């Protein structure tokens, strides 16, 4: 039958549907072809950037069933893309160890009904933002934690249905593209631009038409001027979350809280790190307050925590450290804050006693009262009757009484810091605790006495123990070997004696510090601690003896201090196997012989430390909407002498400090010229030895050196003029050697006084003799070659020239 109307139109429609090049989009088993193709393009992009596409992508035609994808039940089109942390690559492409996902945003044009896009935590970079203008249905856009840079596109604020916008933790610069005349979408409820490099002015008044606005977070933009207070303005929005930490914030926001008084639904308020001054107003703690989380830390606020007349039943976390808060803790604190789980009032000037009513706050997990002026005894209930309390810090106060209040059981779950107080008495012979797998017990700098006996301690999960800075005596009891989970052990600055005990199974210590005692004996590798895992070892200021051959087994060592002992013998070339070393201190021993030249091959900071030194003891996490608090153990720190002084280094100092101190030994021979290869070292002390010969001119290659002490040796020759290139050098001493010639006066050498050169009778200032440096263009000499100013060399060279001339003249005459 022929095709005639109405069958003709129907036949034509069938033909069009069958055409292979038809432009009409059709779903393929529940997934539109162009959307499936776009997702495959995104997978290919991941592969090209050395990432990996999700395994389910490409399996089956229905992309709505693929991982990280959700489609509309009505239209069948892709509506949600959950791409957070999709890109992971081990390839390092820049000096900071970042790899990049070079994302082509044009692929998003294939998703016309996209409502939700989460592309956070991907180290992504964009070349174009144009496609975002077409997202007319987009309600939530999260591009946080990427490598996006440049200016924030103003088009994002015009997307008609956009409710949630997060661009935090990127590299955006310039101002926030909001002005009094901006046409901002009225649907916007939250925006987060924190942790960028934004600048310029940002006025809350420009947001006056956003009636649905609930959250503002522009924290971590130090150059962003945030204007908040406007006396005649009553905002049309009621915020629930306001985070303005670390901005150039209006300093009157607390002193004259005009804006804050208009917000009656605030649950989260963070004004920390802003140098705010003035007194904390009671408006924060009224009967009507809705606050759940409050962070005003690191400001200059005054006032006190009392009196507070109304119970704050909603408050769960208060962080007020590093202010000038004074007065006492409220005696009825459990009635004022009945549901508190996190309280940090450290580093203030709070005085008086710790109220025992704290124990009635049954939800408290973290309590930090450290660095105040609290006195009296610590309520026993905080130690024994607080099963939910994970961390208690009362460090650096004036607390006293018997240690642990005489109790033999601790209910703390994670960490107990009693250091820097006046607790006294002997350690209990019997002690149990409910510590988790990373328990911390810090008792350093108190008045503890008696012997060190762990025989009745049941602390198998203890990870960190510091008893430093007390008056403990006697030997280290072998029962210490029962602390099988210990990672950090600090027994320094006591009166301990005898040898370090041998354990049946060596402890897996990362940090072992016993400096400033009277310990003695030989060090036997793998007897007390596992030599192959320890990262910081401080045995300084004791009576240890024997050779130091055992150090070759310290494969992971970064800080090694053996100074002020009785070690003897030579420094073996096996020391050069310690490629992770950053600090080396063998000073004040009886080491002798030459210095191995291979020390110049150690990196000493050239290769960045992959894992921060302290990361292994940053285990306790408290996650709140306004801060992600990570509890890190804070030790007394490590000491190192440089620039003529002893400095205490804490935390991740190992990432930027490096040095060698071999002073006050009996080392001899010439200083190896290979030490000039230590281009990243900051301090080198070879003083008080018997080194002879010249100062290696290769030291000019130690471009990071800040302190160089070669004094009290037998060095001879001139001070190499090439050392004037050391632009970072601030301390230099060659006192009491046999040096001669002139003293350089250019570069940093122009700042050193004559004390740096005394005891070298043949040295003289440059102005009194010949030039110290040759003419420009001379290269660094090879110390192993011949001396250019040798008179015998001049004579031999001249004679050779004369003989050669006459032989050539005679031969030419004979040929003629």
């Amino acid at each position: 039958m022929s095709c005639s109307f109405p069958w003709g139109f129907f036949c034509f429609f069938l033909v069009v549907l069958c055409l292979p090049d038809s432009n009409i989009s059709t779903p393929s088993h529940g997934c539109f072809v162009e959307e499936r193709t776009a997702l495959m393009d995104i997978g290919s992009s991941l592969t090209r950037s050395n990432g990996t596409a999700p395994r389910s992508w490409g399996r089956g035609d229905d992309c709505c069933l693929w991982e990280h994808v959700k489609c509309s039940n009505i239209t069948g089109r892709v509506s949600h893309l959950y791409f957070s942390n999709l890109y992971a690559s081990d390839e390092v492409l820049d000096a900071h160890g970042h790899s990049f996902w070079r994302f082509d945003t044009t692929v998003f044009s294939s998703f016309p009904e996209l409502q939700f896009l989460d592309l956070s935590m991907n180290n992504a970079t964009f070349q174009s933002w144009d496609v975002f203008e077409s997202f007319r249905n987009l309600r939530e856009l999260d591009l946080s934690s990427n490598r996006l840079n440049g200016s924030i596109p103003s088009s994002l604020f015009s997307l008609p249905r956009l409710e949630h916008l997060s661009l935090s933790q990127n590299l955006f610069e310039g101002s926030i593209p909001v002005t009094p005349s901006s046409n901002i979408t009225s649907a916007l409820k939250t925006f987060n631009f924190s942790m960028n490099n934004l600048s310029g002015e940002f006025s809350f008044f420009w947001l006056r038409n956003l009636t649905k606005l609930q959250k503002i977070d522009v924290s971590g933009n130090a150059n962003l001027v945030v204007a908040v207070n406007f006396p005649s303005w009553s905002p049309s929005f009621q915020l629930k979350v306001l985070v303005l930490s670390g901005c150039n914030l209006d300093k009157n926001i607390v002193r004259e809280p005009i804006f804050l008084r208009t917000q009656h639904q605030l649950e989260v308020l963070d004004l920390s790190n802003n140098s705010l001054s003035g007194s904390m107003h009671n408006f924060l703690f009224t009967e009507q307050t809705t606050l759940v989380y409050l962070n005003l830390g690191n400001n200059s606020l005054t006032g006190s925590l009392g009196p507070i007349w109304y119970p704050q039943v909603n408050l769960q976390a208060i962080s007020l450290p590093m202010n000038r808060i004074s007065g006492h803790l409220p005696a009825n604190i459990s009635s004022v804050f009945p549901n508190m789980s996190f309280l940090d009032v450290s580093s203030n000037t709070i005085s008086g006693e710790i109220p025992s009513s704290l124990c009635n706050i049954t939800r408290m997990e973290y309590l930090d009262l450290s660095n105040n002026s609290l006195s009296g005894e610590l309520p026993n209930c905080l130690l024994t009757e607080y099963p939910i309390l994970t961390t208690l810090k009362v460090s650096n106060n004036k607390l006293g009484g018997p240690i642990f209040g005489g109790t033999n059981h601790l209910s703390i779950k994670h960490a107990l810091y009693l250091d820097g107080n006046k607790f006294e008495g002997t350690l209990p012979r019997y002690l149990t605790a409910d510590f988790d797998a990373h328990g911390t017990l810090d008792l350093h700098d108190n008045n503890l006495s008696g012997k060190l006996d762990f025989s009745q301690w049941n602390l198998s999960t203890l990870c960190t123990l510091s008893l430093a800075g007390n008056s403990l005596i006697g030997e280290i009891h072998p029962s210490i070997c029962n602390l099988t989970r210990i990672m950090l052990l600090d027994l320094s600055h006591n009166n301990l004696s005898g040898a370090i005990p041998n354990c049946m199974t060596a402890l897996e210590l990362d940090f072992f510090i016993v400096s400033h005692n009277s310990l003695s004996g030989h060090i036997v590798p793998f007897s007390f601690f596992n030599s192959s895992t320890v990262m910081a070892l401080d045995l300084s200021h004791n009576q240890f003896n024997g050779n130091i051959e055992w150090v070759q087994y310290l494969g992971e060592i970064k800080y090694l201090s053996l100074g002020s002992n009785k070690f003897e013998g030579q420094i073996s070339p096996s020391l050069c196997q310690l490629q992770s070393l950053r600090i080396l201190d063998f000073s004040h021993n009886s080491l002798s012989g030459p210095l191995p030249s291979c020390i110049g091959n150690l990196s000493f900071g050239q290769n960045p430390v992959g894992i921060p030194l302290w990361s292994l003891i940053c285990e306790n996490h408290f996650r709140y909407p306004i801060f992600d608090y990570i509890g890190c153990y804070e030790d007394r720190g490590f000491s190192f002498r440089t620039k003529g002084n002893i400095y205490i280094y804490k935390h991740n100092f190992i990432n930027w400090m490096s040095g060698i101190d071999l002073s006050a030994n009996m080392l001899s021979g010439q200083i190896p010229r290979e030490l000039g290869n230590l281009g990243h070292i900051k301090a080198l002390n070879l003083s008080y030895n018997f080194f002879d010969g010249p100062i290696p001119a290769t030291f000019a290659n130690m471009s990071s050196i800040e302190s160089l002490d070669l004094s009290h040796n037998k060095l001879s020759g001139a001070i190499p003029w090439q050392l004037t290139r050391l632009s970072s050098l601030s301390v230099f001493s060659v006192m009491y050697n046999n040096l001669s010639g002139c003293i350089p006066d250019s570069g940093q050498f122009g700042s050193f006084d004559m004390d740096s050169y005394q005891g070298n009778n043949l040295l003289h200032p440059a102005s009194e003799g010949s030039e110290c440096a040759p003419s420009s263009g001379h290269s660094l000499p090879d110390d192993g070659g011949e001396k250019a100013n040798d008179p015998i060399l001049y004579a031999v060279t001249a004679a050779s020239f004369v003989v050669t001339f006459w032989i050539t003249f005679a031969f030419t005459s004979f040929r003629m």
Side-chain angles (χ1 to χ4, degrees):
M1 183 174 62
S2 62
C3 290
S4 58
F5 186 85
W7 297 106
F9 177 80
F10 179 72
C11 291
F12 173 78
F13 181 73
L14 290 177
V15 170
V16 170
L17 288 179
C18 294
L19 288 175
D21 295 327
S22 174
N23 292 323
I24 298 178
S25 298
T26 59
S28 175
H29 303 286
C31 178
F32 284 80
V33 174
E34 66 271 21
E35 293 180 334
R36 183 181 189 279
T37 302
L39 289 171
M40 295 302 294
D41 287 343
I42 294 172
S44 298
S45 173
L46 281 168
T47 304
R48 288 193 301 270
S49 296
N50 299 290
T52 304
R55 293 182 179 180
S56 63
W57 287 19
R59 294 181 181 177
D61 294 331
D62 189 358
C63 64
C64 295
L65 301 178
W66 293 356
E67 298 171 79
H68 310 288
V69 179
K70 178 182 177 181
C71 295
S72 169
N73 293 329
I74 299 175
T75 65
R77 284 195 172 273
V78 171
S79 60
H80 292 65
L81 293 176
Y82 304 95
F83 287 173
S84 178
N85 203 23
L86 191 62
Y87 173 66
S89 172
D90 296 329
E91 182 177 351
V92 178
L93 296 181
D94 70 350
H96 303 287
H98 295 125
S99 53
F100 298 93
W101 183 9
R102 293 175 174 84
F103 196 94
D104 183 4
T105 55
T106 59
V107 72
F108 285 134
S109 61
S110 299
F111 305 107
E113 296 186 12
L114 194 62
Q115 299 179 28
F116 179 98
L117 174 59
D118 184 354
L119 199 62
S120 61
M121 295 188 291
N122 281 299
N123 272 353
T125 60
F126 293 172
Q127 294 181 348
S128 172
W129 291 84
D130 294 342
V131 70
F132 288 88
E133 298 180 7
S134 62
F135 286 171
R136 315 308 293 177
N137 296 308
L138 195 65
R139 297 181 183 273
E140 185 163 342
L141 177 61
D142 189 348
L143 302 177
S144 59
S145 300
N146 283 292
R147 306 288 293 175
L148 307 177
N149 54 23
S151 300
I152 296 176
S154 59
S155 58
L156 296 180
F157 292 89
S158 301
L159 299 178
R161 298 186 179 181
L162 189 64
E163 298 178 359
H164 306 283
L165 174 61
S166 179
L167 304 178
S168 65
Q169 299 187 60
N170 278 285
L171 303 173
F172 288 113
E173 299 176 331
S175 60
I176 297 176
V178 175
T179 65
S181 59
S182 296
N183 183 24
I184 308 176
T185 173
S186 59
L188 198 61
K189 294 181 179 179
T190 71
F191 65 82
N192 185 348
F193 299 156
S194 62
M195 307 303 293
N196 281 282
N197 299 315
L198 299 173
S199 58
E201 182 182 2
F202 178 60
S203 173
F204 277 26
F205 186 69
W206 301 340
L207 309 176
R208 60 189 180 279
N209 295 325
L210 303 183
T211 57
K212 299 180 180 180
L213 194 60
Q214 297 178 357
K215 174 182 177 179
I216 299 176
D217 186 351
V218 291
S219 59
N221 292 283
N223 298 317
L224 183 66
V225 179
V226 181
V228 175
N229 282 339
F230 300 94
S232 59
W233 176 50
S234 180
S236 59
F237 53 80
Q238 286 293 318
L239 296 177
K240 291 185 177 181
V241 178
L242 178 59
V243 184
L244 303 176
S245 173
C247 301
N248 190 350
L249 180 61
D250 187 341
K251 304 305 180 187
N252 292 322
I253 189 171
V254 173
R255 186 186 297 114
E256 300 176 9
I258 297 172
F259 174 78
L260 292 178
R261 289 185 188 277
T262 68
Q263 301 300 300
H264 306 299
Q265 298 179 19
L266 266 180
E267 297 177 3
V268 176
L269 177 62
D270 185 356
L271 307 178
S272 61
N273 305 301
N274 276 297
S275 300
L276 302 176
S277 59
S279 177
M280 288 195 309
H281 285 262
N282 284 337
F283 80 90
L284 291 172
F285 304 116
T286 64
E287 186 176 12
Q288 293 80 26
T289 186
T290 55
L291 278 176
V292 180
Y293 306 102
L294 174 65
N295 189 353
L296 301 177
N298 195 19
N299 285 293
S300 298
L301 299 173
T302 59
S304 66
L305 286 178
I308 298 176
W309 304 111
Y310 304 100
Q312 304 299 301
V313 295
N314 295 312
L315 261 176
Q316 298 179 27
I318 297 180
S319 183
L320 304 174
M322 293 180 283
N323 279 286
R324 299 175 183 174
I325 299 170
S326 57
H328 296 176
L329 293 173
N332 63 337
I333 192 169
S334 61
S335 299
V336 175
F337 304 123
N339 298 313
M340 188 68 60
S341 63
F342 184 103
L343 177 60
D344 184 355
V345 291
S346 61
S347 300
N348 283 283
T349 58
I350 300 172
S351 58
E353 297 187 355
I354 298 176
S356 59
S357 63
L358 272 170
C359 299
N360 297 326
I361 306 178
T362 57
R363 299 184 180 182
M364 187 76 76
E365 297 181 25
Y366 181 94
L367 178 59
D368 190 349
L369 308 177
S370 61
N371 299 294
N372 280 286
S373 298
L374 297 167
S375 57
E377 295 189 6
L378 184 66
N380 261 16
C381 59
L382 291 177
L383 300 174
T384 62
E385 302 173 13
Y386 230 143
I388 197 173
L389 188 63
T390 61
T391 300
L392 173 62
K393 291 185 178 183
V394 292
S395 311
N396 302 315
N397 279 284
K398 301 175 182 178
L399 300 171
I403 188 66
F404 303 140
T407 185
N408 293 316
H409 177 75
L410 304 175
S411 62
I412 305 295
K413 294 296 185 184
H414 179 75
L416 175 60
Y417 295 84
L418 304 181
D419 54 290
N421 282 286
K422 299 178 181 180
F423 294 112
E424 58 189 11
T426 60
L427 291 170
R429 294 194 62 185
Y430 177 78
L431 184 65
T432 62
D434 296 331
F435 288 133
D436 59 18
H438 302 285
T440 294
L441 181 59
D442 191 346
L443 308 178
H444 80 256
D445 290 335
N446 277 286
N447 298 324
L448 304 181
S449 57
K451 293 186 177 181
L452 202 57
D453 186 353
F454 302 97
S455 57
Q456 299 298 317
W457 283 28
N458 184 12
L459 301 178
S460 59
T461 58
L462 189 63
C463 174
T464 302
L465 175 62
S466 178
L467 298 171
N470 285 285
S471 299
L472 301 173
I473 60 173
E475 297 184 353
I476 302 175
H477 197 279
S479 58
I480 197 171
C481 298
N482 297 331
L483 303 178
T484 55
R485 298 290 296 274
I486 201 78
M487 293 171 56
L488 184 149
L489 179 61
D490 189 350
L491 305 177
S492 62
H493 293 268
N494 279 286
N495 298 313
L496 300 173
S497 57
I500 294 177
N502 293 328
C503 296
M504 292 285 292
T505 302
L507 299 176
E508 298 290 334
L509 285 168
D510 293 310
F511 308 85
F512 183 42
I513 308 110
V514 290
S515 61
H516 294 273
N517 282 286
S518 297
L519 297 168
S520 58
H522 289 53
I523 302 299
V524 180
F526 301 101
S527 60
F528 179 70
F529 58 86
N530 188 339
S531 303
S532 62
T533 61
V534 66
M535 293 193 298
L537 178 63
D538 190 351
L539 307 182
S540 63
H541 297 276
N542 280 286
Q543 304 295 321
F544 293 113
N545 54 32
N547 62 49
I548 57 171
E549 289 291 325
W550 52 272
V551 302
Q552 64 182 297
Y553 301 108
L554 305 175
E556 297 297 323
I557 198 73
K558 296 174 177 62
Y559 174 91
L560 178 58
S561 180
L562 309 181
S564 298
N565 279 284
K566 297 181 179 180
F567 290 113
E568 57 189 6
Q570 297 191 4
I571 298 177
S572 170
S574 60
L575 174 71
C576 305
Q577 300 174 20
L578 309 182
Q579 288 298 319
S580 297
L581 200 59
R582 303 291 292 259
I583 296 289
L584 175 64
D585 185 356
F586 288 170
S587 65
H588 295 272
N589 280 285
S590 299
L591 301 174
S592 58
L595 190 60
S597 60
C598 62
I599 290 180
N601 297 327
L602 292 172
S603 63
F604 275 99
Q606 183 174 2
N607 300 318
V609 179
I611 301 177
L613 183 65
W614 293 93
S615 66
L616 296 178
I617 43 180
C618 292
E619 298 290 348
N620 206 17
H621 294 243
F622 298 90
R623 299 187 183 277
Y624 293 93
I626 50 177
F627 53 88
D628 183 3
Y629 181 86
I630 301 177
C632 298
Y633 176 71
E634 299 181 9
D635 190 66
R636 290 161 54 97
F638 298 113
S639 63
F640 183 68
R641 177 179 290 276
T642 179
K643 301 181 182 180
N645 296 294
I646 295 178
Y647 293 89
I648 303 297
Y649 299 93
K650 292 188 176 183
H651 306 298
N652 289 329
F653 85 94
I654 208 74
N655 290 329
W656 59 269
M657 182 61 195
S658 59
I660 298 176
D661 189 353
L662 304 178
S663 63
N665 279 284
M666 296 185 292
L667 300 172
S668 59
Q670 293 194 5
I671 298 175
R673 64 187 306 274
E674 287 81 2
L675 263 62
N677 296 331
L678 300 175
H680 293 267
I681 204 168
K682 294 182 181 293
L684 176 62
N685 190 348
L686 303 179
S687 65
Y688 290 93
N689 280 287
F690 298 100
F691 290 113
D692 55 26
I695 298 174
T698 54
F699 276 16
N701 296 324
M702 294 192 294
S703 57
S704 299
I705 196 79
E706 298 175 1
S707 177
L708 178 59
D709 191 348
L710 307 177
S711 64
H712 296 273
N713 280 285
K714 298 181 178 180
L715 301 173
S716 58
I719 298 175
W721 63 269
Q722 293 89 350
L723 300 189
T724 59
R725 300 172 180 169
L726 299 175
S727 59
S728 298
L729 190 63
S730 59
V731 174
F732 176 72
S733 179
V734 289
M735 294 189 301
Y736 296 101
N737 279 283
N738 299 318
L739 299 172
S740 59
C742 66
I743 299 173
D745 60 356
S746 60
Q748 290 294 102
F749 281 79
S751 64
F752 304 141
D753 57 33
M754 292 306 296
D755 290 343
S756 299
Y757 310 102
Q758 66 179 354
N760 294 275
N761 296 330
L762 299 179
L763 277 179
H764 58 81
S767 58
E768 297 180 6
S770 59
E771 294 279 338
C772 283
S775 59
S776 60
H778 286 230
S779 59
L780 197 66
D782 186 343
D783 289 289
E786 297 175 321
K787 303 294 182 181
N789 58 354
D790 191 344
I792 298 176
L793 178 62
Y794 284 141
V796 172
T797 302
S800 300
F801 176 80
V802 172
V803 172
T804 302
F805 173 80
W806 284 111
I807 292 175
T808 303
F809 179 79
F811 180 78
T812 304
S813 301
F814 176 79
R815 291 289 301 270
M816 293 178 64

